[in-house]
Amino acid sequence: MKAVILVGGQGIRLRPLTCTTPKPMLPLANAPFLLYVIKLLKTHGINDIILSTSYLPEIFERHFDQMSLGVNITYVREDEPLGTCGAVKNVENLLDSTFIVFNGDILTNLNISQLIEYHRKKKAKATLTLTSVEDPTAYGLVPLDKTGHVLEFLEKPSWDEVTTDLVNAGTYVLEPEVLRYAPQGENYSFERGLFPTLLEDGVPVFGFPSSAYWLDIGTPKKYLQAHHDILEGKIALNFEGEEIKPQVWVGKGTEISSEATIFGPAIIGNNCRVLDHATIFSHTTIGNNCEIHEGARLEGCVLYEGCSVGDGAVIKNSILGKSLRLGKKVHVEEIAVLGDNMVVSDENYLKKGIRIWPETKIEAGKIQF
Ligand code: GDD
Ligand code: MG
């Protein structure tokens, strides 16, 4: 069976990280997020994968080693974004039997084999995986009848339209014939286009409620949560690193001063240096080639590769892109998101969800929230 992974979105809610890297290629526990999606598909015997790209396509194309992953990846670029369903219509010629569609920003351990079995048992033309969430207004609402038929599809409903907590989890099993309803070469979505149209036409569309782990990583808060959940073992992922003490995973070539303190769960990548009196508190993920200088304190944050954190700096619940330079006593807190290659000189306070674009340089003491 083939799978189409939708990876063409611009990931606007994750800017500035996505200014330079498309959302599905952002690191998760120090490996590109998409790698986990590909591995999950592979676990369920799906080796034939179509990546539907649009934004920064070359970053996908030069990354995956198909041989060692044991999968066959076909990259299909859209010149203009075609929308979620338009992207699949665009590869219709490659789809001649039942296939899977995966949104490229979903962290899950969904049992895809069970999903496919359910689709077959119900003789569905389309089966949508559903998950329960606290706030359905950020997703596609999918009420079902008792037999599992989808009654309605309401994308991003208002609260007064909410009749269930079940939402579209962004993984579908489809029969190729449903693509007849989609226009060729036009921007068209599953959520506002195809699914409502199939329902109007009486085509059997089923919902598959799942209690598997599920998270859309599309905002800074959720992206941090994905890391915290992995560190807490809420979803089992195989990430790199040797467990040097309970729940502290450290990569090759990393040196940690005997005067530094690390509280797990935490991940530290390859070739890092953690200097005297630095403290890594729990739920921290540090990429390869990072330096954490004396007395710095990190907690609940994600640092991409090549970052340098100055003496006495504090980073909490925030995300640092690649190769940042933070000076002494810089504070980065409260879901701040800093783009690649920034230089933040001494004693700046970056807090309250601040987002700063890649390459920005901030002089000493300029920002004091
Ligand atoms: N190829 C291609 N072309 N891919 C696209 C395009 C496009 O024009 N637009 C979006 N995508 C990809 C994105 O890269 C992402 O992987 C996926 O489609 C979903 O887009 P998001 O922008 O993340 O959508 P959302 O999170 O607001 O809503 C969708 O996902 C929810 C579950 O997380 C909808 O499907 C909701 O109904 C659903 O509940
Ligand atoms: Mg999303």
mmCIF file with all atom_site columns, all heavy atoms in Angstrom, residues 13 23 105-106 216 218, ligand 2:
data_model
loop_
_atom_site.group_PDB
_atom_site.id
_atom_site.type_symbol
_atom_site.label_atom_id
_atom_site.label_alt_id
_atom_site.label_comp_id
_atom_site.label_asym_id
_atom_site.label_entity_id
_atom_site.label_seq_id
_atom_site.pdbx_PDB_ins_code
_atom_site.Cartn_x
_atom_site.Cartn_y
_atom_site.Cartn_z
_atom_site.occupancy
_atom_site.B_iso_or_equiv
_atom_site.pdbx_formal_charge
_atom_site.auth_seq_id
_atom_site.auth_comp_id
_atom_site.auth_asym_id
_atom_site.auth_atom_id
_atom_site.pdbx_PDB_model_num
ATOM   1  N  N   . ARG A 1 13  ? 2.695  28.989 11.918 1.00 0.00 ? 13  ARG A N   1
ATOM   2  C  CA  . ARG A 1 13  ? 2.603  29.110 13.385 1.00 0.00 ? 13  ARG A CA  1
ATOM   3  C  C   . ARG A 1 13  ? 3.908  28.732 14.074 1.00 0.00 ? 13  ARG A C   1
ATOM   4  O  O   . ARG A 1 13  ? 4.084  28.996 15.254 1.00 0.00 ? 13  ARG A O   1
ATOM   5  C  CB  . ARG A 1 13  ? 1.435  28.243 13.900 1.00 0.00 ? 13  ARG A CB  1
ATOM   6  C  CG  . ARG A 1 13  ? 0.070  28.799 13.528 1.00 0.00 ? 13  ARG A CG  1
ATOM   7  C  CD  . ARG A 1 13  ? -1.027 27.767 13.706 1.00 0.00 ? 13  ARG A CD  1
ATOM   8  N  NE  . ARG A 1 13  ? -0.915 26.679 12.717 1.00 0.00 ? 13  ARG A NE  1
ATOM   9  C  CZ  . ARG A 1 13  ? -1.770 25.685 12.606 1.00 0.00 ? 13  ARG A CZ  1
ATOM   10 N  NH1 . ARG A 1 13  ? -2.803 25.602 13.415 1.00 0.00 ? 13  ARG A NH1 1
ATOM   11 N  NH2 . ARG A 1 13  ? -1.594 24.742 11.684 1.00 0.00 ? 13  ARG A NH2 1
ATOM   12 N  N   . LYS A 1 23  ? 8.300  22.572 8.443  1.00 0.00 ? 23  LYS A N   1
ATOM   13 C  CA  . LYS A 1 23  ? 7.846  21.978 9.717  1.00 0.00 ? 23  LYS A CA  1
ATOM   14 C  C   . LYS A 1 23  ? 8.137  20.480 9.846  1.00 0.00 ? 23  LYS A C   1
ATOM   15 O  O   . LYS A 1 23  ? 8.673  20.059 10.875 1.00 0.00 ? 23  LYS A O   1
ATOM   16 C  CB  . LYS A 1 23  ? 6.348  22.286 9.888  1.00 0.00 ? 23  LYS A CB  1
ATOM   17 C  CG  . LYS A 1 23  ? 5.686  21.675 11.069 1.00 0.00 ? 23  LYS A CG  1
ATOM   18 C  CD  . LYS A 1 23  ? 4.293  22.286 11.349 1.00 0.00 ? 23  LYS A CD  1
ATOM   19 C  CE  . LYS A 1 23  ? 3.295  22.127 10.240 1.00 0.00 ? 23  LYS A CE  1
ATOM   20 N  NZ  . LYS A 1 23  ? 1.924  22.575 10.632 1.00 0.00 ? 23  LYS A NZ  1
ATOM   21 N  N   . ASP A 1 105 ? 2.528  16.629 10.127 1.00 0.00 ? 105 ASP A N   1
ATOM   22 C  CA  . ASP A 1 105 ? 2.903  17.245 11.403 1.00 0.00 ? 105 ASP A CA  1
ATOM   23 C  C   . ASP A 1 105 ? 2.251  16.547 12.592 1.00 0.00 ? 105 ASP A C   1
ATOM   24 O  O   . ASP A 1 105 ? 2.031  17.160 13.628 1.00 0.00 ? 105 ASP A O   1
ATOM   25 C  CB  . ASP A 1 105 ? 2.544  18.744 11.394 1.00 0.00 ? 105 ASP A CB  1
ATOM   26 C  CG  . ASP A 1 105 ? 1.051  18.985 11.177 1.00 0.00 ? 105 ASP A CG  1
ATOM   27 O  OD1 . ASP A 1 105 ? 0.325  18.038 10.854 1.00 0.00 ? 105 ASP A OD1 1
ATOM   28 O  OD2 . ASP A 1 105 ? 0.628  20.145 11.345 1.00 0.00 ? 105 ASP A OD2 1
ATOM   29 N  N   . ILE A 1 106 ? 1.945  15.265 12.413 1.00 0.00 ? 106 ILE A N   1
ATOM   30 C  CA  . ILE A 1 106 ? 1.249  14.519 13.458 1.00 0.00 ? 106 ILE A CA  1
ATOM   31 C  C   . ILE A 1 106 ? 2.182  13.513 14.117 1.00 0.00 ? 106 ILE A C   1
ATOM   32 O  O   . ILE A 1 106 ? 2.709  12.615 13.455 1.00 0.00 ? 106 ILE A O   1
ATOM   33 C  CB  . ILE A 1 106 ? 0.037  13.755 12.853 1.00 0.00 ? 106 ILE A CB  1
ATOM   34 C  CG1 . ILE A 1 106 ? -0.927 14.731 12.167 1.00 0.00 ? 106 ILE A CG1 1
ATOM   35 C  CG2 . ILE A 1 106 ? -0.670 12.937 13.917 1.00 0.00 ? 106 ILE A CG2 1
ATOM   36 C  CD1 . ILE A 1 106 ? -1.473 15.810 13.066 1.00 0.00 ? 106 ILE A CD1 1
ATOM   37 N  N   . ASP A 1 216 ? -0.608 17.236 17.247 1.00 0.00 ? 216 ASP A N   1
ATOM   38 C  CA  . ASP A 1 216 ? -0.223 18.060 16.095 1.00 0.00 ? 216 ASP A CA  1
ATOM   39 C  C   . ASP A 1 216 ? 0.864  18.995 16.601 1.00 0.00 ? 216 ASP A C   1
ATOM   40 O  O   . ASP A 1 216 ? 0.623  19.789 17.510 1.00 0.00 ? 216 ASP A O   1
ATOM   41 C  CB  . ASP A 1 216 ? -1.469 18.830 15.616 1.00 0.00 ? 216 ASP A CB  1
ATOM   42 C  CG  . ASP A 1 216 ? -1.171 19.804 14.493 1.00 0.00 ? 216 ASP A CG  1
ATOM   43 O  OD1 . ASP A 1 216 ? -0.085 20.408 14.484 1.00 0.00 ? 216 ASP A OD1 1
ATOM   44 O  OD2 . ASP A 1 216 ? -2.035 19.982 13.628 1.00 0.00 ? 216 ASP A OD2 1
ATOM   45 N  N   . GLY A 1 218 ? 2.158  21.602 15.475 1.00 0.00 ? 218 GLY A N   1
ATOM   46 C  CA  . GLY A 1 218 ? 2.198  22.825 14.674 1.00 0.00 ? 218 GLY A CA  1
ATOM   47 C  C   . GLY A 1 218 ? 2.332  24.163 15.370 1.00 0.00 ? 218 GLY A C   1
ATOM   48 O  O   . GLY A 1 218 ? 2.333  25.187 14.695 1.00 0.00 ? 218 GLY A O   1
HETATM 49 MG MG  . MG  B 2 .   ? -1.308 20.806 11.659 1.00 0.00 ? 2   MG  B MG  1
#
